[in-house]
Structures are given as structure tokens and as C-alpha cells.
Amino acid sequence: MSGVFRFGLSLLMAVACVLVHATNPVTEIATGDISAGTLGLGFGWRFGDSPYRYIDDISSKETEENSDILPFYYYEGKYLFAHGSTAGVHLFDDGTFSADALIAYRFDRLEPERNDYYEGVEEREQSLDGGLRASVRGDWGKVTVTWLQNTLDHHNGEEFDLTYRYNWFSDRWTVSPFASYAHWDRSLTEYYYGVTPAEAREDVPVYQPRSSTIWRAGVNTTYRWSKRLRLFANVAVDALDDEVQDSPLVGDDYTTSAMIGLAYEWDNLIEDEQAGRRDPERAGEWSWRVNVGYTAEHTFHAVHRGAIKRNDNVETYLAGLTLSKLALDGKRLDVWGRVSLNQRLEKDYQKDFWEINPYLMLMGTGYSPWTNRELFRYGFGYGFSYADKIPAVEQRKQEKRGKNTSHFLNYLEATLDFPLRNLFGDRGWWRDCYSGLTIVHRSGIFARVDILGNVDGGSDVLTGHLECKR
């Protein structure tokens, strides 16, 4: 049972990582004009200065870029929310006062390998924080108080944040300036900016800071390009206090950060019982799917083009179960929420292990031009994947290239299938079932994403499947 518990805890942390990117409001989307129930996907490009001496940007040692990509989901529900850089549960909301439980991925870090000055200095890792948030809002704006505490035993500290925000709206624009006061306790400040006796040398003396404060000012903006496409651009400046500036690790008294990106939105999913539905009878529709297949030699797009060869070096397999719920039956595409639980069958390479993949699937249907009969379905899924162990094929690939691996990666899926009723008739258990092929793909998005471990690589599995709607 302890193994299951650890896997579940790791999954929760992985979920947090894909939904949460920082406590800094610069990595959020201004949401004041987005109605409850809106679902969206997007990407952001994060830029910024590092406070550490001789390190100019927020990038990782694993990449030569000066920025970081943030893939994220956006959702504003009755109980759950994800806003690009915060995610959690709505505990209470009466229109004026609200309270939330939330989780936050902390991007603060120091990688000693980035400059020789840090030889002998220990790494300061990014971390995952959890806590509570309370807000009061009115015509005058919104005041938010947030308390966060570490969950991964990295800094073991606490942060208190007080933010004031005001929103201006036009037909297409949302402009949301904010000002924040953040208080870091001694443990948090010491972890990122202190110097221990074991790390100290003549030019990097021992330093034991007390608690510290950060004053922050910035603005979030969004522009509605079309009915569904939203662009955003945010910027902020952080002023560091003397406790931080006096650290021998720090070279600046303020830092700047920015994020630009885009998000695609779907119709409101909870506005009323039939929101966004063309066919009321499809409300509540769900499906199950089983699939089995082998590790492919070629990449996701090559398999699409018919390169279905089994991997030459690693002979491993996958067997999975997927549960799906219809979120939206659109005019051209259905939107499904899916969770797949896969068993990676690793043979003699290592013990078998579980992998879980929450994702959204966009599903289109092809019909006969003469009879309007359903002929096939094609779907494309986007989400994230957490594996209890690193798949053997990913270990082999990355070892050859001298690159790192990650349990947590981006997830892509493509599926093509055909209704069984066209072969066996409309009567029988197969009436609402489909059979076809599914490509399962784990990807690090070209080593550009911090929360995916800056992995340049992944794995592909080609499977056959049976799916039945209910």
C-alpha cells in the first residue's frame, strides 16, 4: 500500500506542476472577464532576471535559451480552478469574500553549474508550496492575502503575500495592474540566499540572513483576438530588501520578469445544464477504452506518416485503460476529458510500472456524403504524463545523448478508429464501440520547459484499441 500511496502523492505533485507555475502574478492570466466554466489550453514564454551574481536570466543549465516555456490548462469551475500559475479548490465565495486552498510551484533556484563563482555551493532547488488564500473584492478593486508553506522538504519555509489588484475592461482588452508585499520567513530566505560554513570560502563568506521582504509592482494584460483566442502579456518588477542584497550570492537589488503567450478557450461548460451542447441527449456521455501496443522506433509525427516499425533496441510494451467524459459536443469537434492508466511492460529491462495521463481530447468525425453515416473518428489529445519509473526506452535514448530524464513529461495522443456497427450491424454490444489505432507519446518539449525537467526527448508507443461509449 505504501507504494500506491507514494505514487498517488507523486501524481498530485505532478498535477500541481502542470497547473501551477509560480506565486508571482506575472505568470497568471488576467481572468476578470472570463466567465465561470470556461475551459482553455495555452502556452506562455517566461523571461526574467536572476537575482544571483553572474547569472543573467531564469533559464536552466540544460538549455542555451534565455526563457522558459510554460504549457498550462485554464479552468474556472464551481469548485476547482487553474489560472496558469495557481490551482486549487474554491472553499467559499459569496461574491465579495472568497477563500481557496491552493498549490504553487516555486521557480526560485540556483544552479551552481551556471558559473564558476558557485563552485562548492549547493544547488537551491525549485519547489512545490501549498497553502490558503483569502480575497475581498468590490468596485474599488481586490485585496488578496496568501499563505504558503513548502511541501517537498526543500526550503521548509513560509511565505506571506498581500496583493492589491484593479481591473479595467474594454471590448477586447483586460488591463490589471497590481502591487504586492511578500514576506519570506528565515528558513525560506536562508535556503535561497544564505551561505553555510561548508559552502563558504574567502570570496563567499558565511551568511545567515533573517526573514526578508519583497515589494512587487506589475501589470497583467489580455487581448481577445477572436471569440476563442486570447493573447496575454505581463510584466513585473521585484525590489529586494537588504537581507537579500547583502548575500554574497546576490548581485542585484531588483529583478524584472515577464511572460507573453496565448490561450484557446472553449464554451462555458457549467453555465447551465445544456451549455455548449447541440444534442441534449449526449449530456453525461462517457466511454471506456482498452489498448495494447509496442514501443515504436520512430517519433510521433513519423508514426503518423506510417513509420510503424517496432523499436530496434528496446522491446517493451504498454497495456492501458482510459476513461473519458464528454465535456462539449461542438459543431466540428467534440471535447473530451480523459484519464488513462497504463501499465508499462518492461520485460527484463526493469520491473513493470504504472503511468497515468490526464488530458483533453479533441475528436472529429468523418461522415458519408451520401448517407450521413459515421465512417471514422480522428482525435488529438494534449495533457501531461507521470510515470512511476522512467521507461527503459527513454533511459536508453537519453543516456546515449548524455541528457537528463524526468518522470513528469508532456503528453500527446493521436487516435484513428472506425465504428464496429458498420461491420457487424447496429444490434449487439458493439453498437457504440470503435476499434482502431492510438499513438501514445511522452515529450519534454525540446528541453525548453522547467517543470518537465528540461528533457529533450521522450518515447512513442503504437497501440491498437477498443473504445465503447455509454
Side-chain angles (χ1 to χ4, degrees), residues 426-440:
D426 293 336
R427 295 184 179 182
W429 62 266
W430 57 80
R431 182 181 61 185
D432 294 317
C433 295
Y434 302 78
S435 183
L437 298 176
T438 295
I439 307 171
V440 172

Side-chain angles (χ1 to χ4, degrees), residues 442-461:
R442 279 168 45 90
S443 168
I445 315 183
F446 311 113
R448 292 292 308 280
V449 183
D450 272 355
I451 61 172
L452 303 183
N454 295 109
V455 172
D456 185 5
S459 61
D460 299 89
V461 181

Side-chain angles (χ1 to χ4, degrees), residues 166-400:
Y166 190 86
N167 293 325
W168 280 287
F169 304 111
S170 69
D171 290 341
R172 291 183 177 269
W173 284 96
T174 298
V175 179
S176 181
F178 62 87
S180 300
Y181 164 85
H183 176 83
W184 288 18
D185 73 356
R186 182 168 186 166
S187 295
L188 181 55
T189 307
E190 194 166 31
Y191 177 78
Y192 285 106
Y193 301 117
V195 179
T196 67
E199 297 173 313
R201 58 177 192 262
E202 185 175 351
D203 57 336
V204 184
V206 172
Y207 185 65
Q208 296 178 320
R210 296 168 296 180
S211 61
S212 62
T213 60
I214 298 173
W215 292 94
R216 176 180 296 128
V219 61
N220 298 68
T221 65
T222 68
Y223 177 75
R224 187 177 290 279
W225 181 271
S226 65
K227 179 181 177 180
R228 302 194 184 280
L229 188 63
R230 181 180 294 262
L231 310 179
F232 54 91
N234 310 324
V235 64
V237 178
D238 290 10
L240 309 176
D241 75 355
D242 291 341
E243 288 294 320
V244 175
Q245 293 181 41
D246 290 345
S247 169
L249 304 179
V250 173
D252 293 308
D253 54 5
Y254 71 91
T255 61
T256 60
S257 56
M259 187 174 76
I260 58 174
L262 55 89
Y264 187 88
E265 302 170 10
W266 282 272
D267 290 336
N268 190 301
L269 301 183
I270 63 173
E271 189 174 66
D272 58 60
E273 195 172 272
Q274 302 302 336
R277 300 200 179 280
R278 294 181 299 138
D279 184 357
E281 293 184 0
R282 297 192 67 190
E285 185 173 293
W286 67 280
S287 74
W288 59 265
R289 183 189 72 186
V290 291
N291 59 310
V292 179
Y294 57 81
T295 300
E297 171 70 18
H298 300 286
T299 59
F300 185 75
H301 61 85
V303 177
H304 259 83
R305 301 196 305 269
I308 60 175
K309 181 182 178 182
R310 190 192 307 271
N311 190 282
D312 287 333
N313 300 314
V314 180
E315 186 179 344
T316 55
Y317 301 87
L318 177 148
L321 170 67
T322 303
L323 298 179
S324 307
K325 179 71 181 297
L326 180 66
L328 174 68
D329 59 325
K331 293 181 179 179
R332 298 177 180 85
L333 292 172
D334 289 345
V335 181
W336 291 79
R338 293 192 164 189
V339 177
S340 65
L341 182 63
N342 299 330
Q343 175 88 85
R344 289 276 184 162
L345 306 173
E346 299 287 272
K347 299 187 71 175
D348 296 329
Y349 299 102
Q350 61 179 336
K351 291 183 178 180
D352 298 342
F353 61 90
W354 292 101
E355 166 191 294
I356 190 164
N357 312 302
Y359 59 103
L360 293 178
M361 171 66 77
L362 308 181
M363 184 73 74
T365 302
Y367 295 92
S368 167
W370 298 280
T371 63
N372 203 34
R373 187 179 183 88
E374 185 180 29
L375 296 180
F376 67 89
R377 301 187 310 170
Y378 176 78
F380 183 85
Y382 172 82
F384 61 92
S385 172
Y386 183 83
D388 197 28
K389 297 180 181 178
I390 306 297
V393 63
E394 295 176 19
Q395 294 182 36
R396 293 286 186 92
K397 285 182 178 179
Q398 298 304 85
E399 185 178 358
K400 286 182 179 179

